[in-house]
Amino acid sequence: MTTMPRARASTRSRTVGRRGPAALAGLIACLAGAAPAAAEGFDWKRYDGQTINLVLTNHPWGNAVREMAQQFTDKTGIKLRIEILNEDPQRARLNTLLQAKSSDVDVYISLKIREGAVYNKAGWYADVTPMLNDPGQTAPEFKLDDFGAGLIRNETFGGKLTGLPINVEGPLFYWRKDIFAKCNVAVPEYLEDILDAARKIKACDPSINAWAARGVRNAVPYPMAAFVFNSGGGFKSVDGTKPGLCRPESVAGLTLYTDLLKDYGPVGATNHSFPQVVELLGQGKVAMTHESSNEFSNIMKYPGREDDLGIKILPKGKASGVSQPIGFGWGLSISEYSRRKGPSWYFLQWATSPEMQATLVDRGVAPSRTSVFEGEGMRAWASQKPVRQQWVTAVSEISRRGTGDYASPTDRVPETREIIGRAAQEVVLGQKTPQQAACDADAALLKLQ
Amino acid sequence: MSTIASPAVTIAPERARRGQHKISFSWMVWPAVAFVVLMMVFPLVYAAWISLQDASLGTEPRFVGLDNYLNLASDPEFLNAFGVTWLLYGVALTMQLVLGTWLGIVLNGVKTARHLVRTIAITPFMMPPVVVGMLAIVILDPSVGIVNWLLGTVGVGPLLWLASPRWVLLSVALVDTWQWAPFVGLIVLGGLQSLPASVFEAAEVDGVIGWRRFVYVTLPLLGPTLLTAAVLRSVDLLRFFDLVFIATRGGPGNASTTMNMYAYQQGFEFSRFGHASAAMLTLSLVVLCTVMVFARLRRALSY
């Protein structure tokens, strides 16, 4: 889904080459040039001829790595066998393989804020610290402290480093500048303004959906969480010991999210996840959405969107004064049952290197390394279009202030998402009031503790 | 020369032959037994064992007896899934048997380009379920689907199809019927071609033609064939998963969460292996009982 069509890819590479983020190219060249000098003593060919198995998700990062796999093989002699699956099937596959302690998977992508605690308890993550501290295994230019501290914290369980962060992401507020201008609507400054803006846009141009967002049960909490936080609520009680969706402020956030979806969203929104939202936004049928920063490059492929979209983090709550964006990173981990941990660690170093991250920026993967995020190359790339600059600013903000903790107090995070998403669906479908749905959800969430 | 052959010589090879037969029979059956034990009995027994434990990811399994089954019986989500499964089964099976029978009769009557028509007719069930699910999304999505766009061109407002709790099961049943009614049609076609021509000739002589011939002659004779088709479709329909997984994720709400989807969620998304095993074994029991009922019916209807 995220693989760039050939024609478009070549256009893009020409664009990069001509108008070019010269500084980005310079940065890559500089890093690439500097690497051999720094790594003279490091044996990248130590595991020449070995093959490692990767189970990745259908994510811009995984798709890009598959295309660049040959570069890794050329550098190390290690071959990659890559399997890319959608998130749920990937987890199902890991369940099957790792529950059986199979050594068939060496490296896999994992979302630590979701399944990290449980996977760690099950012993599925290898501790990469010993390899990190071994100069024979870790290239001298590899700097762990270059990663965002919060991201490394997400990868750490009880002092055990279970992987390396590969990106930063979170939902962002996208709006169509041209529609707002045409309808003479001000860009929402506060969370509550979104509803007013939607109302005005619907009245001004009924042919367009004023709003779109995820409505599928387990996909809802991701874009809805910031609505709850910015309304002054949360997913835990004030003392943090019990579920908190039934708190009045949380109900206000739930109400706003579901009102937008129900009254201003596309028909059938309860079946929509990011593919439908991106498609509608890309096709120009939506005025506003709260969708993943990761989808930026996909949205930009549609004609016109580079010029008419605006991006920022979700506005803060007017009544609460709170602005709490969602932000976290996916991590790359080595299986505890892998028999090829050495070559796997080599892959982790290469895949999270500054050179790789600089290259992946053009595919909409926000880097997890500070040196790349704040580097000259990123600045040059962003300066080409206002929308890119807005995206960089917003992602930078979620990487600084974002939270990935939007579940009730339990390790059973996937179930909490299902229950919270279900509550939102019940409101959208008119089966319950927001208050009823939220309190029923809390009762169900309490049973998970 | 043959008359002077000693009786001992003739008896010995016979004994040897009998002995050989005995040995070869018992020896040759073992690979099959081993296969059945390894591939069928062991997983079933293992699943039954897991279903008696509180087995979740990251925790030590603990024997809980029948607790998982009792929890299922009191879990509104499972009871909903049970109801959804049977409702979907009833609607889809009825549609597929009716349409399949009609299709079989139509195919039986086709004389021109017979092979081409049959090939086209069976194409849907040759398609992978994932493709059918994706097609369903592309065609039936209320916002971006082509059906609502076509309806819009003639002034009909958007229908919710897969996005409405009221219509989602019917929509799913329709898509499944589109795919599998031709399969039933093919079975019916085979059944029709094996029916004795003399019965139809006799009916014609007696003046039983048209609709009456279909109701009083063809349909009763097709009974066993239709039951075979019903058994084959029952197994798939009761285990319904692919289409809802791809097109609705069991939603909206839990309106299309079948028992299989429920068990998948419990096992693979929530990592509650004991609970999921109990749900899967319950589903297996439901499938087994249904097939046994149809098998008995089939025996009763055999002519």
Side-chain angles (χ1 to χ4, degrees):
Chain A
M1 190 202 75
T2 49
T3 307
M4 209 180 288
R6 190 175 289 276
R8 182 69 185 158
S10 70
T11 308
R12 186 172 286 254
S13 65
R14 276 201 304 276
T15 308
V16 170
R18 282 180 194 161
R19 285 183 281 152
L24 173 64
L27 173 73
I28 296 168
C30 174
L31 289 164
E40 255 172 19
F42 187 71
D43 181 14
W44 278 102
K45 293 280 184 187
R46 179 172 172 175
Y47 297 106
D48 190 0
Q50 295 204 29
T51 300
I52 56 172
N53 298 322
L54 279 59
V55 181
L56 308 180
T57 53
N58 184 11
H59 181 285
W61 188 90
N63 292 316
V65 163
R66 179 161 58 183
E67 289 170 28
M68 298 158 81
Q70 191 55 44
Q71 291 178 24
F72 175 70
T73 305
D74 292 344
K75 185 181 176 97
T76 62
I78 300 166
K79 294 191 183 76
L80 301 177
R81 201 177 291 138
I82 302 175
E83 193 175 358
I84 293 187
L85 302 161
N86 280 334
E87 274 184 47
D88 285 340
Q90 190 247 14
R91 290 188 181 107
R93 181 127 177 81
L94 290 177
N95 256 340
T96 312
L97 289 169
L98 298 181
Q99 190 69 4
K101 302 190 174 173
S102 163
S103 61
D104 284 351
V105 55
D106 297 298
V107 175
Y108 58 95
I109 279 187
S110 168
L111 188 58
K112 302 299 187 315
I113 61 155
R114 184 185 184 276
E115 62 256 6
V118 177
Y119 281 19
N120 183 55
K121 261 200 218 170
W124 289 3
Y125 296 125
D127 187 355
V128 299
T129 316
M131 291 178 282
L132 179 72
N133 294 334
D134 179 357
Q137 293 263 50
T138 303
E141 68 269 22
F142 185 86
K143 299 276 182 286
L144 186 70
D145 57 10
D146 190 21
F147 292 101
L151 299 176
I152 289 295
R153 213 165 28 244
N154 277 345
E155 298 292 322
T156 309
F157 293 90
K160 172 180 163 186
L161 184 61
T162 61
L164 294 177
I166 55 173
N167 77 327
V168 184
E169 70 171 82
L172 299 177
F173 179 68
Y174 296 75
W175 79 96
R176 283 279 298 277
K177 294 183 291 186
D178 55 331
I179 296 172
F180 272 68
K182 184 181 82 176
C183 297
N184 198 23
V185 179
V187 178
E189 190 183 347
Y190 296 104
L191 184 67
E192 292 83 345
D193 295 343
I194 296 175
L195 200 61
D196 290 334
R199 196 176 295 127
K200 287 176 186 164
I201 289 168
K202 189 175 182 180
C204 160
D205 185 357
S207 70
I208 204 154
N209 294 296
W211 177 260
R214 302 182 188 192
V216 168
R217 228 169 13 192
N218 61 357
V220 163
Y222 173 73
M224 192 180 80
F227 279 77
V228 173
F229 287 133
N230 289 8
S231 299
F235 296 87
K236 296 182 176 75
S237 58
V238 178
D239 63 3
T241 58
K242 291 197 167 55
L245 196 60
C246 195
R247 287 162 55 191
E249 301 88 352
S250 309
V251 173
L254 173 70
T255 307
L256 183 54
Y257 187 85
T258 50
D259 279 353
L260 282 166
L261 211 56
K262 186 173 55 178
D263 300 332
Y264 304 102
V267 281
T270 47
N271 271 8
H272 286 180
S273 188
F274 70 90
Q276 289 85 5
V277 175
V278 168
E279 187 67 28
L280 288 165
L281 184 67
Q283 286 183 13
K285 294 177 178 172
V286 169
M288 294 180 281
T289 185
H290 193 222
E291 189 43 75
S292 174
S293 57
N294 264 351
E295 296 306 320
F296 175 74
S297 62
N298 285 331
I299 295 164
M300 291 302 118
K301 287 175 193 169
Y302 291 89
R305 297 298 85 82
E306 262 192 339
D307 299 315
D308 60 26
L309 273 180
I311 301 175
K312 62 178 184 176
I313 63 163
L314 193 72
K316 66 179 176 184
K318 193 172 193 174
S320 68
V322 174
S323 170
Q324 178 54 73
I326 304 304
F328 52 82
W330 286 79
L332 199 57
S333 294
I334 300 173
S335 165
E336 177 62 22
Y337 312 115
S338 166
R339 293 202 196 110
R340 294 165 288 265
K341 290 194 178 76
S344 299
W345 173 241
Y346 269 43
F347 174 75
L348 258 66
Q349 290 180 68
W350 172 81
T352 60
S353 63
E355 301 95 302
M356 272 293 285
Q357 295 209 343
T359 310
L360 291 172
V361 167
D362 195 40
R363 298 171 187 246
V365 179
S368 52
R369 283 181 177 274
T370 316
S371 64
V372 181
F373 211 104
E374 295 174 353
E376 184 55 37
M378 190 78 165
R379 272 201 290 275
W381 175 83
S383 67
Q384 289 180 358
K385 291 273 179 189
V387 71
R388 288 186 184 177
Q389 186 56 59
Q390 289 177 337
W391 180 77
V392 169
T393 306
V395 174
S396 172
E397 197 164 352
I398 62 172
S399 73
R400 276 201 320 276
R401 299 199 294 111
T403 178
D405 185 6
Y406 50 96
S408 57
T410 174
D411 282 348
R412 292 162 68 175
V413 178
E415 282 165 274
T416 67
R417 295 200 174 173
E418 198 76 21
I419 292 167
I420 294 165
R422 170 89 170 279
Q425 281 201 337
E426 286 167 343
V427 181
V428 173
L429 295 169
Q431 294 168 339
K432 287 181 184 171
T433 65
Q435 180 76 31
Q436 282 172 334
C439 295
D440 288 353
D442 270 4
L445 290 165
L446 193 59
K447 289 182 187 161
L448 301 181
Q449 288 186 239
Chain B
M1 246 175 82
S2 59
T3 52
I4 54 168
S6 106
V9 173
T10 53
I11 288 166
E14 265 178 40
R15 277 182 185 162
R17 256 199 314 274
R18 276 205 298 272
Q20 264 182 349
H21 280 173
K22 204 171 181 181
I23 291 165
S24 64
F25 266 126
S26 59
W27 176 80
M28 287 179 77
V29 84
W30 281 113
V33 171
F35 178 83
V36 169
V37 169
L38 275 175
M39 305 304 286
M40 293 171 202
V41 177
F42 173 73
L44 205 63
V45 170
Y46 186 68
W49 172 240
I50 295 280
S51 77
L52 301 176
Q53 302 194 49
D54 179 11
S56 301
L57 195 58
T59 58
E60 280 298 311
R62 187 170 54 90
F63 184 81
V64 291
L66 294 174
D67 276 8
N68 285 325
Y69 292 93
L70 295 173
N71 289 340
L72 278 181
S74 60
D75 180 0
E77 287 290 316
F78 179 76
L79 298 176
N80 169 76
F82 190 80
V84 165
T85 303
W86 279 109
L87 188 58
L88 183 63
Y89 169 76
V91 173
L93 186 67
T94 307
M95 288 200 294
Q96 287 170 26
L97 287 179
V98 171
L99 275 175
T101 305
W102 174 78
L103 196 63
I105 291 167
V106 169
L107 288 176
N108 196 36
V110 170
K111 301 291 178 220
T112 315
R114 199 172 49 187
H115 294 297
L116 180 68
V117 172
R118 285 179 190 176
T119 305
I120 293 170
I122 65 170
T123 305
F125 73 83
M126 310 291 274
M127 293 171 78
V130 176
V131 175
V132 176
M134 293 307 292
L135 277 175
I137 291 174
V138 171
I139 293 170
L140 294 178
D141 184 277
S143 298
V144 295
I146 194 168
V147 171
N148 273 1
W149 179 79
L150 286 171
L151 289 174
T153 60
V154 293
V156 179
L159 301 178
L160 288 178
W161 301 109
L162 298 166
S164 156
R166 183 179 294 178
W167 297 111
V168 64
L169 281 187
L170 185 63
S171 304
V172 167
L174 277 172
V175 175
D176 195 68
T177 300
W178 171 81
Q179 186 177 20
W180 289 103
F183 174 74
V184 177
L186 208 63
I187 294 175
V188 170
L189 176 66
L192 282 170
Q193 290 178 345
S194 67
L195 293 183
S198 56
V199 179
F200 291 96
E201 287 161 9
E204 201 167 332
V205 169
D206 291 342
V208 182
I209 54 171
W211 178 250
R212 289 182 66 218
R213 187 176 76 169
F214 173 73
V215 172
Y216 294 112
V217 180
T218 313
L219 206 53
L221 289 175
L222 273 179
T225 306
L226 287 173
L227 279 173
T228 302
V231 168
L232 293 172
R233 289 308 303 136
S234 294
V235 174
D236 272 352
L237 284 167
L238 288 168
R239 297 178 307 160
F240 207 94
F241 179 77
D242 335 60
L243 192 55
V244 288
F245 178 75
I246 293 158
T248 70
R249 301 287 305 179
N254 55 5
S256 61
T257 303
T258 58
M259 284 169 77
N260 210 352
M261 183 78 198
Y262 171 89
Y264 169 84
Q265 275 185 330
Q266 294 296 324
F268 288 103
E269 290 183 11
F270 305 157
S271 304
R272 298 177 65 194
F273 306 119
H275 193 76
S277 297
M280 287 308 293
L281 283 175
T282 307
L283 173 58
S284 303
L285 197 66
V286 167
V287 174
L288 190 69
C289 290
T290 310
V291 169
M292 283 170 70
V293 168
F294 276 116
R296 280 190 171 253
L297 268 173
R298 195 180 188 286
R299 271 202 297 275
L301 280 178
S302 291
Y303 55 88

